[in-house]
Amino acid sequence: MADDLHGTFVERNSSDGSHEHLQPIRGDQDCRVERNPANGLLWIQVWSMDELTMKIKYGAGSEVSHQGESRLDFGADVQGWTGPRQVGLAFRCDNPENARMGRPYVAVGVAAGDVTDPRSEKVHRAVLDIALKYAKDVVAGYPCANPVKLPDTVPGTVRS
């Protein structure tokens, strides 16, 4: 993603440090890879959501179709979309923490930073692959009591 960029990039987490991985607990958690706040390379966010939010963001006729994004077909267990700078995917995760919060769904969002060219197929593919990697990490480490089948690779998409 940073072929022509020079300098040192660092990871900045919103997590309190008590978890190795981004998990959908205690609100949104995110990670930015950046040179400084004005030069971000990548932004990753993981959060939990309730059923209404899931329907609004990922359901049939959702706001995604009104913002120029394209849907991603991850199969029966996962809903997804891709846009010019970012991708998102969401799935049900039956976990005691989620149940206590009344938020049975988990979402993963990944966005290319302002120093990357989102029109680049290489950057777009990297953002898609990173989103799937984080979704797999949540399913493995959170964990979800229900089976969540994620594909080995990102499905083919139509760029918007």
Side-chain angles (χ1 to χ4, degrees), residues 82-117:
T82 180
R85 290 198 82 81
Q86 59 189 359
V87 300
L89 56 94
F91 51 90
R92 184 172 183 95
C93 181
D94 294 332
N95 179 286
E97 182 78 19
N98 280 12
R100 277 193 296 280
M101 294 185 299
R103 297 177 171 190
Y105 295 94
V106 172
V108 176
V110 179
D114 50 351
V115 297
T116 55
D117 181 3

Side-chain angles (χ1 to χ4, degrees), residues 19-25 93 95 133-144:
H19 295 87
E20 271 183 51
H21 307 278
L22 294 179
Q23 296 178 341
I25 55 176
C93 181
N95 179 286
K133 177 186 181 286
Y134 270 87
K136 287 181 176 185
D137 191 53
V138 169
V139 169
Y142 192 39
C144 305

Side-chain angles (χ1 to χ4, degrees), residues 12-160:
R12 300 201 195 286
N13 272 320
S14 67
S15 171
D16 61 8
S18 63
H19 295 87
E20 271 183 51
H21 307 278
L22 294 179
Q23 296 178 341
I25 55 176
R26 295 186 312 277
D28 300 352
Q29 293 202 1
D30 70 336
C31 173
R32 287 181 48 93
V33 178
E34 59 189 23
R35 208 176 347 216
N36 58 52
N39 294 130
L41 180 66
L42 187 67
W43 180 50
I44 303 159
Q45 187 176 28
V46 176
W47 69 97
S48 59
M49 58 183 162
D50 59 34
E51 191 156 349
L52 178 60
T53 304
M54 176 69 173
K55 285 180 183 177
I56 290 169
K57 292 193 172 289
Y58 293 92
S62 68
E63 66 184 40
V64 166
S65 61
H66 303 293
Q67 295 177 351
E69 286 95 1
S70 301
R71 294 227 176 254
L72 287 173
D73 182 9
F74 280 97
D77 292 341
V78 183
Q79 302 297 317
W81 55 267
T82 180
R85 290 198 82 81
Q86 59 189 359
V87 300
L89 56 94
F91 51 90
R92 184 172 183 95
C93 181
D94 294 332
N95 179 286
E97 182 78 19
N98 280 12
R100 277 193 296 280
M101 294 185 299
R103 297 177 171 190
Y105 295 94
V106 172
V108 176
V110 179
D114 50 351
V115 297
T116 55
D117 181 3
R119 296 168 299 184
S120 159
E121 187 59 37
K122 180 179 177 183
V123 169
H124 183 69
R125 186 45 119 193
V127 169
L128 289 167
D129 290 342
I130 291 166
L132 180 58
K133 177 186 181 286
Y134 270 87
K136 287 181 176 185
D137 191 53
V138 169
V139 169
Y142 192 39
C144 305
N146 57 308
V148 178
K149 185 174 177 171
L150 291 164
D152 293 330
T153 60
V154 175
T157 63
V158 176
R159 295 287 305 265
S160 49

